[in-house]
């Protein structure tokens, strides 16, 4: 038997959010059960997986250009199998094969449990190398909707001290600029008992710090609501600290702040994306809250969660954003003083409502607004760190 057929090493490149980081770990865990070891050296891998993000054009461009260098991996004596998984897989489906013929399989975020089976199919084909047709075939899975619960319990964890625990998948908010609901599907909540079990499994392995994950984490609702879940997690023996991302302002309440203040293991940290300080733009973004509502929340947070960290996300250059809208964002940031913030330039995304609006803020102007907010935030972050 040729050497490349028996080497079981997988290289996974992850782009995008923490959800993808956790998904890559899940994929590594599932393949681990099939005898695959995760490697950070692409040259020694027999399976190469790109776990992708579609949130902005820039994220996709990185994948299209990055895929080029894997062409060699297919033709050298490894005959590596190349998979493109995650949000871009869902966004482009089979069209990916046209643009990147070196890709062998495509798997959307709700189908990742099928990856071991797909990889095994290719291995069987490779064992019969004489038949070139088998080697050239393509497999894609993008129709799934439910992830089997077992995938979260493979036991494989990348980090020995910290674990991400997905509490909900997808998002039903449909903010007008955002592709996430289209590539990740509508909000699905995991059963709270399964979540607790997964955390206990991590604690058994001496991981004492965890982060609860959801695209809209505080919209969680099963037999218990989000605050009740936080209390249950806080009661887990052996767990030392936990936090949660990402919260949506509309689902954020005084009760959540009270829970943060009173539950001893919760990190005093809130990531609360505001996106814009302009009333008009917030409406066009379909965020579901006003500037005033957001500012009132922050005031309450600072009062109730003493010395709590506060971070945010901002988009500049949304369609129709005028200078005065931009100034509203600038002033909000000056007023709130986030500890840190991610600042993004608006990027039109397929499927979204905003895609139909004219992308009318010129690139140069987006760049100028981006730079101004970056500079402002840099200053604020530095000052706040100094005060801490
Ligand atoms: N669920 C999280 C994260 C969504 S994606 C949330 O709701 O906050 C992370 C960030 O990317 C968003 O907060 C937003 O600021 C940014 N983003 C999303 N779509 C974008 C787009 N089309 N152009 C630019 N930035 C975008
Ligand atoms: Fe996207 Fe809005 Fe959902 Fe966040 S809340 S993932 S920005 S649709
Ligand atoms: Fe990107 Fe998908 Fe996360 S689009 S931000 S990897 S949910």
């Amino acid at each position: 038997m040729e050497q490349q057929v028996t080497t079981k090493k997988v290289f996974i490149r992850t782009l995008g959010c923490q959800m993808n980081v956790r998904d890559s770990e899940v994929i590594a865990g599932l393949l681990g059960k099939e005898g695959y070891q995760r490697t950070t050296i692409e040259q020694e891998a027999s399976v190469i997986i790109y776990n992708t993000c579609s949130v902005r054009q820039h994220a996709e461009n990185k994948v299209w250009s990055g895929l080029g260098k894997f062409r060699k991996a297919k033709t050298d004596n490894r005959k590596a199998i190349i998979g493109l998984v995650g949000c871009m897989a869902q966004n482009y489906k089979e069209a990916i094969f046209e643009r990147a013929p070196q890709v062998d399989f495509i798997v959307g975020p709700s189908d990742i449990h099928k990856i071991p089976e797909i990889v095994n199919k290719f291995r069987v084909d490779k064992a019969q190398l004489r038949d070139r047709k088998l080697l050239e075939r393509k497999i894609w899975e993008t129709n799934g909707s439910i992830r089997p619960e077992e995938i979260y319990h493979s036991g494989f964890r990348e980090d020995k001290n910290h674990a991400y625990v997905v509490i909900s998948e997808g998002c039903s908010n449909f903010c007008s600029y955002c592709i996430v609901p289209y590539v990740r599907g509508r909000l699905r909540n995991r059963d709270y008992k399964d979540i607790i079990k997964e955390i206990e499994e991590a604690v058994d392995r001496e991981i004492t710090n965890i982060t609860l994950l959801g695209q809209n984490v505080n919209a969680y609702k099963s037999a218990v609501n989000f605050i009740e879940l936080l209390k249950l997690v806080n009661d887990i023996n052996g767990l030392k600290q936990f936090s949660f991302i990402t919260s949506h302002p509309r689902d954020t309440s005084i009760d959540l702040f009270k829970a943060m203040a009173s539950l001893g293991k919760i990190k005093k940290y809130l990531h609360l994306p505001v996106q814009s300080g302009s009333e008009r733009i917030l409406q066009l973004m379909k965020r579901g809250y006003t500037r005033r509502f957001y500012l009132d929340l922050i005031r309450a947070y600072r009062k109730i969660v003493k010395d709590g960290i506060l971070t945010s996300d901002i988009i500049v250059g949304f369609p129709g954003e005028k200078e005065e809208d931009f100034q509203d964002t600038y002033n909000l940031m000056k007023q709130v003083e986030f500890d840190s913030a991610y600042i993004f330039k608006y990027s039109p995304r397929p499927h979204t409502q905003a895609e139909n609006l004219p992308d009318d803020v010129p690139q140069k102007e987006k760049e100028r607004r981006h730079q101004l907010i970056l500079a402002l935030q840099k200053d604020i972050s530095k000052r706040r760190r100094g005060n801490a």
Side-chain angles (χ1 to χ4, degrees):
M1 190 64 42
E2 291 181 50
Q3 213 252 321
Q4 70 267 19
V5 179
T6 48
T7 322
K8 285 188 154 189
K9 285 205 174 156
V10 57
F11 171 83
I12 310 181
R13 171 99 202 270
T14 309
L15 292 145
C17 62
Q18 286 88 350
M19 202 59 87
N20 262 13
V21 173
R22 175 60 180 143
D23 288 353
S24 287
E25 199 176 54
V26 166
I27 294 166
L30 294 173
L31 286 172
K33 287 192 170 168
E34 304 289 318
Y36 280 87
Q37 260 180 309
R38 191 166 181 181
T39 174
T40 51
I41 306 162
E42 182 248 306
Q43 288 78 4
E44 64 175 32
S46 52
V47 177
I48 294 173
I49 293 181
Y50 230 119
N51 193 4
T52 61
C53 171
S54 274
V55 82
R56 282 169 292 277
Q57 186 62 47
H58 180 66
E60 293 192 345
N61 291 348
K62 272 203 257 181
V63 173
W64 294 126
S65 61
L67 276 172
K69 78 169 192 214
F70 294 141
R71 260 189 222 122
K72 232 180 82 226
K74 285 189 68 92
T75 48
D76 65 20
N77 55 9
R78 279 178 293 158
K79 304 265 181 298
I81 304 160
I82 301 184
L84 192 149
V85 309
C87 296
M88 265 176 89
Q90 198 64 38
N91 189 17
Y92 294 107
K93 303 194 167 82
E94 305 95 275
I96 286 170
F97 295 130
E98 283 162 39
R99 188 149 171 199
Q102 66 271 44
V103 173
D104 296 299
F105 68 89
I106 289 168
V107 174
S110 296
D111 293 278
I112 56 173
H113 53 285
K114 297 173 187 158
I115 291 176
E117 193 191 321
I118 294 173
V119 166
N120 281 335
K121 273 189 193 152
F122 279 104
R123 280 178 66 81
V124 172
D125 292 354
K126 273 209 306 188
Q128 304 157 349
L129 267 173
R130 271 154 296 143
D131 189 347
R132 288 214 55 80
K133 280 226 172 57
L134 284 173
L135 270 182
E136 281 156 16
R137 76 166 168 171
K138 306 284 181 198
I139 300 180
W140 61 96
E141 290 282 354
T142 51
N143 289 326
S145 55
I146 294 180
R147 292 175 161 189
E149 174 56 34
E150 310 87 77
I151 67 165
Y152 291 116
H153 303 277
S154 77
F156 179 79
R157 293 277 178 190
E158 206 67 56
D159 190 329
K160 300 288 164 257
N161 305 308
H162 168 264
Y164 285 120
V165 176
V166 173
I167 69 165
S168 61
E169 298 157 7
C171 180
S172 301
N173 278 349
F174 293 93
C175 300
S176 65
Y177 51 83
C178 183
I179 199 172
V180 171
Y182 303 94
V183 288
R184 288 268 167 178
R186 307 281 161 98
L187 180 73
R188 282 105 54 209
N189 297 293
R190 280 178 73 198
D191 187 321
Y192 77 94
K193 293 192 211 87
D194 294 327
I195 297 169
I196 301 293
K197 186 165 166 247
E198 188 184 341
I199 300 172
E200 284 170 347
E201 284 162 3
V203 171
D204 280 346
R205 291 162 176 258
E206 294 176 2
I207 298 175
T208 53
N209 184 359
I210 68 148
T211 303
L212 306 176
L213 281 187
Q215 288 300 338
N216 183 357
V217 76
N218 54 343
Y220 178 84
K221 181 118 189 62
S222 62
V224 304
N225 66 26
F226 185 60
I227 293 171
E228 287 161 341
L229 178 71
L230 295 180
K231 289 183 182 149
L232 291 171
V233 173
N234 195 69
D235 285 342
I236 294 175
N237 271 334
L239 182 73
K240 289 199 181 125
Q241 191 181 51
F242 71 106
S243 54
F244 53 88
I245 45 172
T246 294
S247 301
H248 193 292
R250 196 170 45 188
D251 299 299
T252 304
S253 62
I254 306 284
D255 284 345
L256 175 61
F257 301 153
K258 286 184 182 159
M260 287 178 78
S262 67
L263 299 174
K265 296 177 186 173
I266 297 194
K267 204 168 154 189
K268 310 285 177 270
Y269 163 72
L270 183 68
H271 181 58
L272 199 64
V274 63
Q275 313 296 2
S276 171
S278 154
E279 211 66 85
R280 201 174 64 82
I281 298 294
L282 281 174
Q283 257 186 31
L284 288 171
M285 287 177 161
K286 300 228 159 14
R287 287 292 287 177
Y289 53 83
T290 60
R291 177 189 169 100
R292 166 101 343 255
F293 178 85
Y294 187 88
L295 289 173
D296 285 347
L297 268 185
I298 299 312
R299 204 166 301 120
Y301 174 71
R302 293 238 156 97
K303 206 167 129 198
I304 299 168
V305 186
K306 298 267 181 286
D307 299 321
I309 303 282
L310 180 68
T311 62
S312 201
D313 291 348
I314 305 289
I315 299 176
V316 295
F318 184 84
E321 187 186 74
K322 303 271 183 313
E323 180 60 24
E324 57 264 33
D325 298 309
F326 169 69
Q327 286 303 330
D328 285 347
T329 301
Y330 194 90
N331 291 333
L332 179 136
M333 297 191 71
K334 238 170 141 171
Q335 185 180 339
V336 173
E337 299 204 325
F338 296 111
D339 292 281
S340 73
Y342 294 99
I343 328 286
F344 304 108
K345 285 177 274 185
Y346 170 71
S347 167
R349 297 285 69 211
H351 318 296
T352 62
Q353 283 181 45
E355 196 200 8
N356 303 319
L357 301 171
D359 183 17
D360 56 0
V361 179
Q363 199 51 41
K364 245 180 125 176
E365 182 56 23
K366 274 187 197 167
E367 188 56 44
R368 186 187 73 94
R369 293 178 192 176
H370 190 230
Q371 289 302 330
L372 282 170
I373 301 249
L374 278 177
L376 170 69
Q377 185 55 48
K378 195 172 159 202
D379 223 47
I380 294 171
S381 295
K382 204 165 127 196
R383 195 151 16 96
R384 290 192 65 85
R385 266 198 311 273
N387 290 345

